Amino acid sequence: MFESVLVANRGEIAGRIVHTARALGVKAIAVHSGADADLPFVAEADEAVLIGPADPVRSYLNVPAILEAAHRTNAQAVHPGHGFLAEDADFARAVAGRGLVWIGPPPLAAARMSDKINARNLMKEAGVPVAPGVWEPVPDADTAAEEAERIGYPVMVKPAAGGGGIGLAAARDEPGLRAAYATARAHAERLLGHGDVLLERYVEGARHVDVQILGLADGTVVALGERDCSLQRRHQKIAAETPSPGILPGLRERMLAAAVRAGEAIGYRGAGTVEFLVDPAAQEFYFLEMSTRLPAEHPITELVTGIDLVEQQFRIAAGEPVSFTDASPHGHAIEFRVLAEDPQQFRPSTGEITVWEEPVGDGIRIDAGYAEGTTVTPHYDSLLATLCVHGDDRAHALRRARAAVDAFHIEGPRTNLAFLSELLDRPEFADGTYNTEIVGRMRPHSSIAR
C-alpha cells in the first residue's frame, strides 16, 4: 500500500476519501481553492495545499497545479473523487506519467467509455442489451429525422460525450427532434469541444438503475448490487436507493451479469458504475452509459454490503486483494442529496451557513461538505451533503428517512430539504412505483419537456 494520497477534489467526496485514507494509516493530502479554505475537508486532511483561486479552471481543473502539489508534498497516489477530472483519461495518464499511483480505471477504459456512441458499439459486441439507435454520429438534422423514423418515436437526443444530462432531450415528433438536435449539438460544441450527437429509443416510464462494479487487481470483475437512481431533476440524480423496488429477481440477475460483462469487455479496474434504463412493464433493460469513477451514490451500497468502496479502490490501485469475501446485501438503504437550491425552482442558492444541525441516530449516515460558519459560493455545484439511511427493509428505511429529513436543519442558503420532505409524502415514492418522470410531475417547470 502507498503511504500518502493526494485527493484531487473538494467538498463531501474529498472528506469521504480523507476519512478512509486516515483509517488505513495513509497520509491524506487535500488540495483546495481560495474559496474553499475553510471547508471541513481541508481541516480534516493531514496536509492541505492551495492550488488556485475560486474559478475551477484555475484550481480543481488545473492539472499542472495539482501535479505540482503532488510533487511538493511527496504524494505517492492521486484519488480524483467524482466530477472535475475524475473521468479525464489525459489526467490519469499525466498522473501515471509522474510515477504516481492512479486510483481509478485504466485511462484507456475511461477513454473508451467517454464517447457514448463508441460505448454503445462496445457494449453491443459484449452482449450487453442496447436500445435501438444509431451506431455512428448523426451529422445533421435531416439525417437525424431519417434515423428517428427508422428508430421510431419517441427518441432521446444527446451529445455523444459528457455526462450529467447536458444537452439531453426527448423528442416525440420531427419538429421536436429538430429542436432537440440543435440544442444537443450546440451544447456539445460549446461545452465538450465537438458536436457529435446520437439518437436512441426513448423508454417511456423508465427507471434509471445503476450497477456498482469493482474491477479487481487480478482482472476479475464483480457486481455489488444495483441502485435505483430514477429520482432526478434535469437528468441529475437527487435520490437513490438499494435494492431497486422496481426490479424482480430474474431481471436483477440478468442486469448484474450484463454489468460484469461490460466491465470485462474493457478491462476495467477499480470502482465504476454501469447505468441502465429499465422498462418496468416489459422487465427489460438497456445500457445507458458507464461512469468510470466512484459514484456519488456509493454510500448506500456500502451500507447494505458493509464494504468500504474507497478502501477497495486503494487496495486495487496498489495491486492488493480486496478485503471482503462476501458482498451479499442486507436490508435497504436510501440516499438523498441535500442541495443548496430553491426547493421550488431548483435554482442554486448561496451564502453563509448560519445553522447546521445534522440528524443523529441508528442507521443514519451523513457525508457533509459544509458546516456551520462556512459559505456556499456560486463557483461549484450545489451539493451540501449526502444524507443516507439504512433499515431492515424498505419500510424501515423510509421511516428513518422521514425522521432524518425532518431533523436536518440548515439556515442561510435555501436548501431542497422541503422538497425531500414533499417527496417522502408522494404515494408513488412511498410504494416504490415511481420512475424518471416523478419530478416532472411534482415540478413541471423544472424538467426538460418530454
Side-chain angles (χ1 to χ4, degrees):
M1 178 69 71
F2 39 82
E3 296 180 355
S4 59
V5 59
L6 182 141
V7 184
N9 217 296
R10 66 178 297 278
E12 136 279 341
I13 189 58
R16 167 70 190 89
I17 297 163
V18 166
H19 174 81
T20 287
R22 299 192 69 179
L24 293 173
V26 175
K27 179 181 179 181
I29 303 162
V31 294
H32 66 91
S33 71
D36 285 346
D38 295 331
L39 291 192
F41 79 94
V42 177
E44 292 163 1
D46 296 301
E47 187 173 354
V49 180
L50 174 66
I51 54 170
D55 179 1
V57 173
R58 300 170 64 192
S59 53
Y60 299 107
L61 294 171
N62 187 341
V63 172
I66 293 170
L67 295 177
E68 174 59 24
H71 173 72
R72 284 197 284 131
T73 58
N74 295 313
Q76 295 178 344
V78 173
H79 194 308
H82 56 68
F84 291 126
L85 297 167
E87 297 181 87
D88 190 315
D90 290 336
F91 179 54
R93 294 187 184 102
V95 168
R98 291 291 187 98
L100 305 172
V101 176
W102 170 249
I103 306 178
L108 180 59
R112 296 174 82 183
M113 291 294 99
S114 66
D115 184 296
K116 293 185 178 66
I117 293 177
N118 183 58
R120 277 173 53 84
N121 292 336
L122 285 170
M123 292 302 102
K124 183 181 179 182
E125 292 174 7
V128 177
V130 178
V134 300
W135 306 105
E136 58 186 28
V138 181
D140 53 54
D142 289 339
T143 304
E146 294 172 4
E147 291 289 353
E149 288 294 334
R150 177 184 63 81
I151 296 166
Y153 287 101
V155 296
M156 186 62 73
V157 186
K158 54 187 176 181
I166 295 173
L168 183 152
R172 299 185 177 280
D173 52 32
E174 184 171 335
L177 172 76
R178 290 180 179 274
Y181 180 87
T183 297
R185 191 171 187 87
H187 275 84
E189 289 175 343
R190 185 174 74 255
L191 301 176
L192 307 172
H194 63 80
D196 288 353
V197 173
L198 71 85
L199 306 180
E200 60 187 16
R201 175 77 52 78
Y202 175 66
V203 181
E204 298 275 11
R207 299 187 82 116
H208 186 145
V209 179
D210 298 350
V211 175
Q212 177 68 58
I213 63 169
L214 277 177
L216 310 187
D218 66 2
T220 304
V221 177
V222 297
L224 301 180
E226 88 286 355
R227 295 180 292 262
D228 198 310
C229 301
S230 301
L231 205 146
Q232 305 174 12
R233 55 98 170 93
R234 302 189 187 103
H235 305 291
Q236 296 183 327
K237 300 163 186 174
I238 304 177
E241 62 179 306
T242 184
S244 169
I247 303 299
L248 297 179
L251 178 60
R252 175 175 292 109
E253 184 177 346
R254 289 188 288 129
M255 192 178 303
L256 298 186
V260 169
R261 289 199 301 275
E264 292 173 339
I266 61 171
Y268 200 78
R269 298 292 178 273
T273 304
V274 185
E275 304 187 20
F276 297 104
L277 283 180
V278 176
D279 183 339
Q283 284 291 291
E284 295 293 342
F285 64 96
Y286 304 99
F287 173 79
L288 181 62
E289 62 185 7
M290 185 171 181
S291 295
T292 54
R293 55 168 171 75
L294 181 72
E297 299 76 29
H298 77 276
I300 54 173
T301 296
E302 295 183 328
L303 287 172
V304 297
T305 62
I307 297 169
D308 183 326
L309 290 178
V310 176
E311 176 187 346
Q312 309 319 313
Q313 287 187 294
F314 280 24
R315 293 183 179 279
I316 292 165
E320 299 178 1
V322 293
S323 62
F324 64 91
T325 56
D326 181 13
S328 302
H330 300 280
H332 197 98
I334 307 173
E335 175 180 301
F336 300 98
R337 293 170 67 95
V338 180
L339 307 170
E341 292 185 346
D342 180 311
Q344 292 296 322
Q345 303 286 341
F346 299 134
R347 291 174 179 165
S349 180
T350 59
E352 181 183 355
I353 297 173
T354 56
V355 174
W356 180 284
E357 297 175 355
E358 296 181 1
V360 295
D362 292 341
I364 297 175
R365 167 177 166 174
I366 295 175
D367 291 4
Y370 291 82
E372 191 169 296
T374 58
T375 299
V376 179
T377 70
H379 306 290
Y380 313 110
D381 68 40
S382 59
L383 180 63
L384 298 174
T386 58
L387 166 61
C388 302
V389 295
H390 180 250
D392 297 334
D393 52 29
R394 190 169 189 267
H396 189 201
L398 284 171
R399 290 195 297 273
R400 284 183 164 171
R402 164 57 69 189
V405 168
D406 288 349
F408 208 152
H409 187 202
I410 300 172
E411 293 183 9
R414 302 197 68 186
T415 75
N416 69 332
L417 285 166
F419 171 81
L420 298 178
S421 181
E422 181 184 346
L423 170 68
L424 286 164
D425 291 334
R426 296 285 295 196
E428 66 263 49
F429 186 75
D431 64 20
T433 59
Y434 64 94
N435 56 40
T436 55
E437 297 170 1
I438 181 173
V439 175
R441 291 190 289 270
M442 295 173 68
R443 301 282 192 277
H445 54 272
S446 72
S447 298
I448 295 175
R450 293 281 198 263

